[in-house]
């Protein structure tokens, strides 16, 4: 018996080597085989996909305070050089300009409700009536007073402790709810933001909220002895999330995005029934509103649990852990009646992406899920992206254009959609530019190149001209 198994394994290995020599890609993981003819990644007969089946989505833009005009405005306002009314009008101008900029960049799903003068978690706490007294009192006096309180350097201290943000070096506010406080919907900034954007955009505005499980975990639910339980916290949050989503649907929104980075990590098995019940309550409250579950900042080992939730789409991070999400799709499949958010541009990375590797990964994904509607998107909101190119060199002798601003990342998504819909020849100049820049990064700043040691080996280092890369994405020729 043992000899027979060894012989079978040897035959499989020999077949794999033969396929690799023939330009094929062979992967084995728990008896799952992906075989890609890499010389035929984008044949014409394989591209019978309508453009409406490949859209570009964004999960969020940088906070207003991150932009030069936003910082100047806030400084003038704090110094008393402009009044509250002028401040509100100019903030609106900045919001509208950002919406229109994304539309001009070709984004089909434009996030709304993500604009914040400071931490987004604080805005959720204010909207849900869970903010500490100073912020709650300011909210009662109107938007300008609330904005002034939120922009105060001491707002984070008043709101509670801070924690490292998922996948980033900076921190975010972890809400410290008053003891015994019952959440209530004080306002619905997501519905208001949708109404404002709908009057201006031809593209589709999509409200973005922090998902309930992630918000509960940020508040310390289930963190240890004395902490509120996850079930109790979700039970308290259920009515306000249901009311908020109902209001978003009544405003006319077709979709809403719920960011759940905590669900992309290890979730306790006993929590999944609680999460499913929470999402069932939200679905029942707004049955016509489509829910997009965004699993940002990571990739789950098992897709079956997220796919069991009553949502209309799931977004996955295909850059995490060497492309582990692609293995999950190969292993668990993806339902054809749902939208798959393909997080293909790393929202946390400040450098431009390797577009050729991304093209190969998307071609593989399209073969694994040929009838699924794809939403090409960053892996998370673009809060981490630089807002402008610096003067001169970036670092390590690299040119400033090696950096990827939010606008550059959206442009990369546009290139990838064209490559997937029309073939790589349609964007060959963009791919050639990307190849040159990635080689510069490998030589001058190796730490900026994604690690290839993950389970999929998404972006192995090149060993010289004419080499080939292998990984989840398939085999890509490096010969010029």
């Amino acid at each position: 018996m043992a000899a027979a198994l060894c012989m079978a394994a040897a035959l499989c290995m020999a077949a794999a080597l033969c396929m690799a020599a023939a330009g094929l890609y062979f992967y084995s993981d728990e008896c799952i085989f992906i075989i890609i003819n890499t010389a035929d990644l984008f044949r014409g007969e394989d591209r019978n996909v309508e453009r409406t089946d490949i859209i570009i989505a964004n999960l969020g833009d940088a906070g207003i305070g991150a932009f030069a005009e936003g910082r100047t405005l806030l400084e003038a306002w704090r110094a008393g050089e402009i009044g509250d009314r002028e401040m509100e009008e100019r903030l609106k101008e900045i919001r509208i300009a950002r919406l229109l900029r994304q539309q001009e960049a070709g984004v089909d799903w434009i996030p709304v409700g993500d604009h914040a003068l400071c931490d987004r978690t604080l805005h959720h706490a204010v909207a849900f009536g869970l903010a500490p007294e100073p912020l709650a009192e300011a909210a009662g006096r109107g938007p300008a007073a609330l904005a002034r309180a939120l922009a105060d350097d001491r707002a984070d201290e008043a709101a509670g402790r801070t924690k490292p943000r998922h996948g980033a070096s900076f921190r975010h506010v972890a809400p410290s709810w008053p003891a015994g406080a019952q959440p209530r919907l004080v306002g619905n900034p997501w519905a208001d933001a949708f109404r404002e954007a709908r009057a201006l955009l031809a593209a589709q505005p999509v409200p973005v909220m922090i998902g309930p499980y992630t918000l509960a975990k940020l508040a310390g639910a289930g963190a240890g002895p004395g902490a509120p339980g996850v079930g109790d916290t979700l039970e308290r949050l259920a009515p306000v999330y249901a009311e908020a989503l109902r209001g978003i649907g009544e405003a006319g929104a077709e979709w809403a995005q719920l960011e759940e980075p905590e669900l992309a990590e290890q979730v306790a098995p006993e929590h999944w029934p609680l999460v499913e019940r929470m999402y069932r309550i939200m679905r029942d409250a707004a049955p016509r509103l489509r829910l997009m579950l965004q699993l940002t900042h990571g990739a789950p080992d098992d897709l079956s649990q997220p796919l069991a939730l009553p949502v209309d789409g799931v977004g996955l991070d295909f850059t995490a852990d060497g492309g582990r999400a692609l293995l999950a799709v190969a292993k668990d499949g993806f339902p054809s009646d749902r939208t798959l958010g393909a997080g293909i541009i790393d929202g946390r990375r400040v450098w431009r992406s390797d577009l050729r590797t991304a093209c190969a990964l998307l071609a593989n994904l399209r073969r694994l899920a040929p009838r699924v509607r794809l939403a090409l998107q960053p892996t998370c909101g673009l809060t981490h992206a630089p807002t402008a190119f610096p003067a001169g060199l970036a670092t390590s002798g690299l040119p400033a254009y090696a950096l990827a601003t939010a606008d550059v990342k959206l442009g990369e998504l546009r290139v990838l959609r064209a490559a997937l819909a029309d073939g790589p020849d349609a964007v060959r100049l963009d791919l050639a530019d990307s190849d040159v820049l990635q080689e510069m990064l490998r030589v001058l700043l190796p730490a900026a190149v994604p690690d290839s040691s993950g389970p999929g080996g998404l972006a192995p280092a090149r060993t010289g001209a004419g080499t080939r890369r292998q990984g989840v994405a398939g085999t890509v020729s490096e010969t010029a």
Side-chain angles (χ1 to χ4, degrees), residues 32 41 65 108 189 195 216 278 365 372 401:
I32 296 170
L41 280 174
D108 300 295
R195 293 187 185 95
M278 178 75 188
L365 179 61
V372 172
Y401 66 78

Side-chain angles (χ1 to χ4, degrees), residues 1-326:
M1 184 65 178
L5 289 174
C6 291
M7 179 64 71
L11 291 174
C12 287
M13 180 61 70
L17 293 174
C18 291
M19 286 187 286
L24 301 177
Y25 176 75
F26 178 92
Y27 186 83
S28 174
D29 180 30
E30 297 180 3
C31 300
I32 296 170
F33 299 90
I34 306 173
I35 303 175
I36 297 293
N37 186 341
T38 57
D40 195 32
L41 280 174
F42 290 98
R43 286 177 53 192
E45 57 265 36
D46 289 335
R47 294 203 313 270
N48 55 352
V49 179
E50 296 181 4
R51 285 188 177 272
T52 54
D53 287 337
I54 309 172
I55 64 172
I56 295 176
N58 193 8
L59 278 67
D61 215 341
I64 289 175
F67 290 86
E69 64 270 30
R71 291 193 297 271
T72 302
L73 174 62
L74 292 175
E75 290 169 2
W77 177 49
R78 289 176 179 176
E81 298 172 6
I82 61 174
D84 288 352
R85 182 170 182 178
E86 182 179 353
M87 185 274 296
E88 289 184 24
E89 291 174 352
R90 292 175 64 179
L91 283 179
K92 182 177 181 179
E93 291 174 1
I94 294 174
R95 285 199 309 272
I96 291 173
R98 290 169 61 193
L99 293 172
L100 294 176
R101 175 178 57 79
Q102 292 178 78
Q103 180 170 267
E104 291 169 2
V107 179
D108 300 295
W109 282 7
I110 297 180
V112 295
D114 62 315
H115 303 149
L117 287 171
C118 69
D119 194 276
R120 286 180 59 213
T121 313
L122 268 181
H123 283 260
H124 282 67
V126 170
F128 292 163
L130 295 169
E133 186 58 34
L135 295 181
E137 189 272 334
R141 289 187 281 116
L146 174 60
R148 187 181 296 278
L150 287 172
D152 192 307
D153 290 335
R154 293 168 297 177
D156 290 357
E157 180 181 350
R161 61 201 182 284
T162 62
K163 291 182 178 180
R165 186 182 293 272
H166 291 92
S169 58
F170 59 90
R171 302 175 72 84
H172 67 85
V173 172
S176 181
W177 297 345
Q182 184 62 37
R184 58 187 179 86
L185 193 64
V186 176
N188 197 333
W190 306 280
D192 294 339
F194 172 81
R195 293 187 185 95
E196 179 182 77
R198 184 177 58 175
L200 301 166
L201 300 176
Q204 187 171 172
V206 180
V208 180
M209 301 178 69
I210 298 173
Y213 183 73
T214 295
L215 189 64
K217 297 288 281 186
L218 288 175
V230 170
D232 177 64
T233 304
L234 290 178
E235 197 73 28
R236 294 163 62 196
L237 287 173
V240 289
Y241 266 95
E243 186 178 352
L245 290 172
R246 186 183 302 113
I248 291 171
E250 290 173 351
E254 296 182 24
W255 286 86
Q257 300 190 70
L258 294 163
E259 295 181 61
E260 290 278 21
E262 289 288 343
L263 291 180
E265 300 180 358
Q266 292 292 333
V267 178
E270 64 270 18
H271 288 178
W272 279 113
L274 304 175
V275 173
E276 184 171 2
R277 182 175 185 278
M278 178 75 188
Y279 272 77
R280 181 65 60 189
I281 291 172
M282 295 190 296
R283 160 63 68 210
D284 292 344
R288 301 187 64 180
L289 179 66
R290 298 177 183 177
L291 301 180
M292 185 73 176
L293 173 65
Q294 296 286 7
L295 302 181
T296 57
H297 302 303
D301 293 320
D302 183 5
L303 273 182
S304 62
Q305 295 286 9
L307 289 177
L309 299 177
V311 295
D312 302 279
V314 177
L316 301 173
D317 182 349
F318 284 91
T319 71
D321 298 329
R324 186 173 62 185
L326 189 62

